[in-house]
Amino acid sequence: MLHSADSAANPTRPMAAGDLVVVYEGFDNMKSTRIVAGGMFQNRFGGFPHNDWIGRPFGSKAISKKGNGWILLLAPTPELWTNVLRHRTQILYAADIAMVVALLELRPGAVVLETGTGSGSLTHSLARTIAPTGHVYTFEYHEQRAALAAEEFKANGIGHLVTVTHRDIELGGFPEDHRGKADAVFLDLPKPHLVVPSAARCVRPDGMFCSFSPCIEQVQRTCEALNANGFRDMRTLEVLLRQLEVSRQPLVTDMEAPPQHQQQQGGRKKQQRRQGGGDAAAVGGDAKRQKGADGTAAAVAPGGDVPSAEGEAPTAAVGDVPTAQEEAATAAVNGSEPAPEQQPQPPQQQRQQVERQTVSKPVPFGRGHTGYLTFARRVVALA
Ligand SMILES: C[S@@+](CC[C@H](N)C(=O)[O-])C[C@H]1O[C@@H](n2cnc3c(N)ncnc32)[C@H](O)[C@@H]1O
C-alpha cells in the first residue's frame, strides 16, 4: 500500500500468494482480491487462475482462460483502495483527498488527528503521506466501524502508522495527551463546530485544520468557531472534477467540400440518421464541427500534433481483447457508427474530406458536489 521497500505491496517485486491486488476491469470497474495459490478470479469473461499471476510483476495483463477478455493486476495504492474499498459510510474521494493532503501541508513525520474514521478512505492517504516516522490518530464513535477499520489498516500494511480509538469526539473532544502535539487536524463529523475548541488545543502553532461538510450551514458554524478559537487564514473550497475522454473520431477537415461530395454525403447522412449517429459523427458537406458537452469545439490532438489521416495506428494495441467497458466506451464515443473495418470504403474525394482525428470531450460525471472543505491555520499572539 505504501510502495516502500519493506511494504508487502512493493510494486517492484513479483506478485506472491497473500498479496492484495487491485483487479482493473475498466477505469470505472475495479475490485480488490488476495492472491491464493490455486485460487481463481471470476468475471463475465470466465476464470483467471491466480497461479498464473504468482511470480509475475504488478501491472501484468492477465488473459481469461477462454481467451476472450483481459484484466490488469495492479499494486494497491491509497488512490486505488478508495475505488475498491467496502463502503461502511460515505467516503472522501481522490479530488478532495488530494486537496486535504496538500493544504494540511502534510509530510513524512507529521502527526495528524482525524475523526470520524468512517471507511478509512482518507486515512490510507494520510498514512502514506506521513510515513515512515509520522502517525495518524483516528477516532470513531461507532464501535464496530472502529474495529473493522483497525483490522483493515493492519491487513493493508499501514497498521503501524495508524491508531484507531473508539470515542465520541463531539462529546469529549480529543484526548488531552494530544495537546499542542498535532501538526494537523481533520474533521468529517455532523457537528464539527463543537470540536473546534479541542482542535485548537491540540494543533501546534502554525499547524493546520480542515473540516469536510456537505452543508454550507455546517461550514458557517465551523468558521465562526474557528474565528473564536485562534484560527486565521480561513478558506472554504468546493472541489469539482471535470473528466475528459480522448478518442478517435471522424471529422471534416476540409470545410469547402465540392458539390459532388455533398451529393455523396446526402446518402451518407441518411445512413447516419438510420444508425442514430446524427451530429455525433460530425461528417458532412455542411461542415458541422464536433462539439463537446459544454458546446465548445473539441477537435484537438494531444500535444498539438496533427495525426495523419491514413495508416494511423488504432487506439487499442493489436491483439488486445477489449473489455465490455472499453467496447461500451468506444461505442459511446463513436455513436452507433460501425467499426472502421466494417464501413464502406469512401471514394478518394471523400477520404480527403473526412478524417479520423483525436478529439476530447467532457465525460458526464455521476458524482457532483460531495462537500465543502474548510481550511484554517492556528496562530498565536506574540507575547
Ligand atoms: C462520513 S464518515 C467519514 C468517512 C471518512 N472520511 C472516509 O473517507 O472514509 C463519518 C464518520 O464519523 C463518525 N462519527 C460521527 N459522529 C462522531 C463523533 N461524535 N465522534 C466520532 N466519530 C463520529 C461516523 O460514525 C462515521 O463513521
Side-chain angles (χ1 to χ4, degrees):
M1 189 64 74
L2 300 175
H3 285 192
S4 63
D6 57 352
S7 158
N10 170 10
T12 61
R13 64 154 176 78
M15 289 182 279
D19 278 346
L20 178 69
V21 173
V22 175
V23 175
Y24 174 106
E25 298 178 77
F27 73 94
D28 58 352
N29 185 9
M30 299 185 215
K31 296 180 181 75
S32 68
T33 190
R34 277 217 187 257
I35 302 180
V36 179
M40 186 77 80
F41 178 83
Q42 295 280 354
N43 70 8
R44 69 192 167 287
F45 297 118
F48 296 76
H50 287 195
N51 284 358
D52 292 353
W53 310 355
I54 294 172
R56 307 291 304 161
F58 285 101
S60 291
K61 182 173 168 181
I63 307 289
S64 64
K65 273 174 88 173
K66 288 190 213 154
N68 58 342
W70 56 263
I71 55 177
L72 301 179
L73 307 169
L74 310 180
T77 62
E79 292 74 19
L80 291 174
W81 182 251
T82 288
N83 292 334
V84 299
L85 61 76
R86 187 162 298 158
H87 285 220
R88 298 181 285 268
T89 60
Q90 292 284 334
I91 64 166
L92 259 68
Y93 292 92
D96 286 316
I97 291 173
M99 201 54 92
V100 168
V101 168
L103 295 191
L104 283 183
E105 301 174 352
L106 298 184
R107 64 189 191 299
V111 172
V112 185
L113 306 184
E114 179 200 26
T115 183
T117 313
S119 306
S121 171
L122 173 67
T123 319
H124 281 77
S125 286
L126 296 177
R128 196 259 310 270
T129 310
I130 55 85
T133 51
H135 207 86
V136 180
Y137 295 92
T138 184
F139 298 86
E140 168 60 55
Y141 84 160
H142 188 292
E143 191 165 11
Q144 199 189 2
R145 231 172 256 165
L148 285 171
E151 265 173 42
E152 222 164 62
F153 297 149
K154 205 169 155 206
N156 288 351
I158 58 168
H160 60 298
L161 297 164
V162 182
T163 302
V164 185
T165 304
H166 169 227
R167 183 179 173 98
D168 186 335
I169 293 291
E170 287 181 353
L171 200 64
F174 294 107
E176 273 302 299
D177 48 355
H178 292 292
R179 185 183 273 262
K181 293 185 186 158
D183 294 295
V185 167
F186 177 86
L187 310 181
D188 185 350
L189 293 173
K191 293 182 184 162
H193 62 280
L194 295 180
V195 182
V196 170
S198 171
R201 284 193 295 277
C202 294
V203 179
R204 62 164 171 79
D206 209 19
M208 291 299 293
F209 168 98
C210 177
S211 175
F212 176 88
S213 297
C215 304
I216 200 70
E217 290 78 9
Q218 292 167 304
V219 171
Q220 289 161 350
R221 299 193 75 173
T222 304
C223 287
E224 284 167 12
L226 287 168
N227 208 21
N229 283 275
F231 286 94
R232 293 292 179 269
D233 185 19
M234 275 141 50
R235 271 170 288 172
T236 296
L237 312 176
E238 184 181 17
V239 184
L240 301 174
L241 201 60
R242 188 161 175 261
Q243 204 163 305
L244 295 179
E245 188 171 76
V246 180
S247 62
R248 306 285 296 165
Q249 293 275 354
L251 291 180
V252 170
T253 53
D254 185 344
M255 299 303 200
E256 296 177 19
Q260 77 266 29
H261 176 72
Q262 284 175 0
Q263 209 178 341
Q264 286 167 351
Q265 209 47 60
R268 175 112 177 92
K269 275 190 158 182
K270 271 186 211 143
Q271 187 193 347
Q272 277 175 1
R273 272 198 293 276
R274 278 200 303 276
Q275 292 168 344
D279 285 347
V283 179
D286 51 356
K288 282 195 177 117
R289 296 281 295 175
Q290 167 117 14
K291 296 210 168 175
D294 60 357
T296 53
V300 295
D305 284 352
V306 181
S308 69
E310 301 201 347
E312 289 160 327
T315 316
V318 176
D320 275 3
V321 187
T323 62
Q325 284 80 14
E326 286 173 330
E327 281 171 349
T330 310
V333 165
N334 291 347
S336 51
E337 280 240 315
E341 57 275 13
Q342 296 163 355
Q343 289 177 23
Q345 282 302 304
Q348 181 63 27
Q349 178 66 44
Q350 190 175 340
R351 267 210 302 277
Q352 287 166 352
Q353 309 300 325
V354 183
E355 295 176 352
R356 279 201 170 267
Q357 290 204 350
T358 301
V359 301
S360 67
K361 65 172 186 178
V363 181
F365 200 66
R367 217 169 27 244
H369 166 91
T370 56
Y372 302 102
L373 290 170
T374 297
F375 293 90
R377 185 180 298 278
R378 176 93 173 101
V379 296
V380 283
L382 283 177

